[in-house]
């Protein structure tokens, strides 16, 4: 289809939550801003710790580093616009800008899925093949796998944008979502969206269920390996090394699988409830992940405590020097 087919629509309007009353716009924008602020600060703290503490320059923490970068980029892609929509009543986004946001949303979501796959691989090799772990999983191995994930993840979202961009958008320009995604945009097309939605669904399933299948296999193998450990203390210690990663993986996959499955078995939600669920599984993990890193990952927790104690000691020295 030619580019002229969508000339009736020059910009889209992000509606956000259709049922939200204007008197709650200030509250909604404040909550979303706090989510963005906490997400950014928490993940930047992890970046600073990683940059200043060479003890963290190990394979597992390089995986976490890539997840931190992806979380910051995803939140920065999605939240500022919806915050502006409720804070300043400026929900308009240019036609091209909406498709750029759509691409980044699906691209970064795919990157997250692949990085979680690498995280599960790291734990699988570490626990099931501990003697071979140093030979198999090196910093260079993680760099190669992570770079591959960032590159490979570009293909399918780019194809989705290329197929959706030329569609005729000649009716409503209101996007019933908090950001531009494939379903929200193609629903507005003045044509049968089935030829475009089915390939996108297949892509989503491959990006979601492919890594998830290996993750389930890896953690089943880990459980079998843990059961074979003789001492109870040894079992708990081994499980504690992957509990943080398991929480992160569950936060990412379980709500997404629930939404996809419910849609395909006929369970219907109100538009507002569906958007709330999507926002929770999209934005809650990037905000909570830094807390999981700090409290469930030994070396990051130790590094944070060292910096905190050093900061307190420096402040005490400064106070003492001033009082002299």
């Amino acid at each position: 289809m030619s580019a002229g087919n969508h000339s009736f629509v020059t910009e889209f309007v992000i509606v956000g939550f259709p049922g939200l009353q204007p008197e709650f716009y200030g509250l909604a924008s404040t909550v979303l801003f706090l989510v963005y602020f906490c997400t950014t600060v928490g993940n930047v703290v992890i970046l600073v710790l990683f940059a200043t503490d060479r003890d963290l320059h190990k394979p597992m923490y390089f995986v976490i580093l890539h997840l931190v970068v992806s979380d910051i980029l995803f939140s920065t892609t999605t939240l500022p616009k919806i915050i502006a929509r409720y804070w300043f009543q400026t929900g308009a986004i240019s036609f091209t800008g909406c498709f750029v946001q759509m691409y980044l949303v699906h691209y970064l979501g795919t990157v997250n899925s692949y990085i979680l796959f690498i995280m599960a691989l790291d734990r699988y090799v570490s626990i099931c093949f501990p003697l071979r772990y140093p030979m198999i999983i090196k910093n260079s191995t993680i760099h190669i796998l992570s770079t591959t994930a960032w590159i490979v993840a570009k293909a399918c979202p780019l194809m989705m944008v290329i197929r959706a961009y030329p569609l005729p958008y000649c009716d409503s320009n209101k996007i019933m979502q908090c950001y531009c995604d494939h379903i929200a945009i193609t629903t507005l097309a003045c044509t049968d969206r089935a030829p475009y939605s089915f390939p996108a669904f297949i892509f989503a399933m491959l990006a979601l269920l492919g890594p998830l299948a290996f993750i389930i296999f890896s953690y089943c193998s880990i459980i079998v390996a843990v059961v074979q450990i003789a001492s109870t203390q040894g079992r708990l210690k081994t499980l504690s090394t992957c509990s943080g990663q398991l929480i992160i993986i569950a936060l990412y996959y379980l709500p997404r699988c629930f939404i996809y499955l419910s849609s395909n078995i006929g369970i219907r939600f109100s538009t507002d409830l569906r958007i709330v669920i999507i926002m929770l599984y999209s934005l809650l993990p990037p905000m909570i992940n830094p807390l999981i890193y700090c409290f469930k990952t030994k070396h990051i927790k130790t590094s944070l405590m060292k910096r905190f104690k050093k900061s307190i000691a420096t402040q005490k020295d400064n106070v003492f020097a001033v009082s002299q």
Side-chain angles (χ1 to χ4, degrees), residues 47-188:
L47 286 178
V48 171
L49 289 177
F50 189 87
T52 57
D53 191 344
R54 295 193 63 83
D55 289 340
L56 298 180
H57 292 191
K58 298 176 181 178
M60 182 174 69
Y61 301 109
F62 275 111
V63 177
I64 289 176
L65 176 66
H66 284 276
L67 196 59
V68 164
V69 173
S70 178
D71 284 344
I72 292 174
L73 291 175
F74 184 88
S75 297
T76 302
T77 297
T78 56
L79 278 172
K81 192 62 193 176
I82 189 61
I83 291 171
R85 184 261 182 274
Y86 285 121
W87 217 326
F88 306 111
Q89 286 74 54
T90 55
I93 183 171
S94 69
F95 190 92
T96 302
C98 193
F99 279 90
V100 170
Q101 188 183 56
M102 182 186 105
Y103 169 76
L104 291 173
V105 163
H106 293 294
Y107 170 57
L108 294 170
T110 306
V111 168
N112 259 27
S113 185
Y114 292 165
I115 296 299
L116 293 177
F117 163 82
I118 298 171
M119 184 180 287
L121 176 65
D122 173 82
R123 291 298 84 200
Y124 170 70
V125 177
S126 174
I127 294 173
C128 296
F129 305 97
L131 299 179
R132 298 171 63 184
Y133 178 80
M135 295 181 289
I136 298 174
I137 305 294
K138 305 175 184 178
N139 285 350
S140 58
T141 307
I142 297 300
H143 293 328
I144 293 170
L145 290 175
S146 299
T147 302
T148 302
W150 284 91
I151 294 172
V152 171
K154 292 181 178 181
C156 288
L158 185 60
M159 187 59 63
M160 291 166 63
V161 171
I162 291 173
R163 286 174 59 83
Y165 189 85
L167 294 179
Y169 299 94
C170 52
D171 192 6
S172 174
N173 67 339
K174 297 184 183 299
I175 293 179
M176 300 300 175
Q177 177 58 286
C178 290
Y179 49 77
C180 300
D181 66 4
H182 187 267
I183 293 177
I185 293 177
T186 56
T187 300
L188 303 179

Side-chain angles (χ1 to χ4, degrees), residues 305-320:
M305 291 304 297
K306 282 190 339 188
R307 289 189 65 85
F308 179 73
K309 290 176 181 177
K310 184 178 179 180
S311 176
I312 295 296
T314 302
Q315 290 180 7
K316 287 182 178 178
D317 291 341
N318 291 338
V319 170
F320 178 77

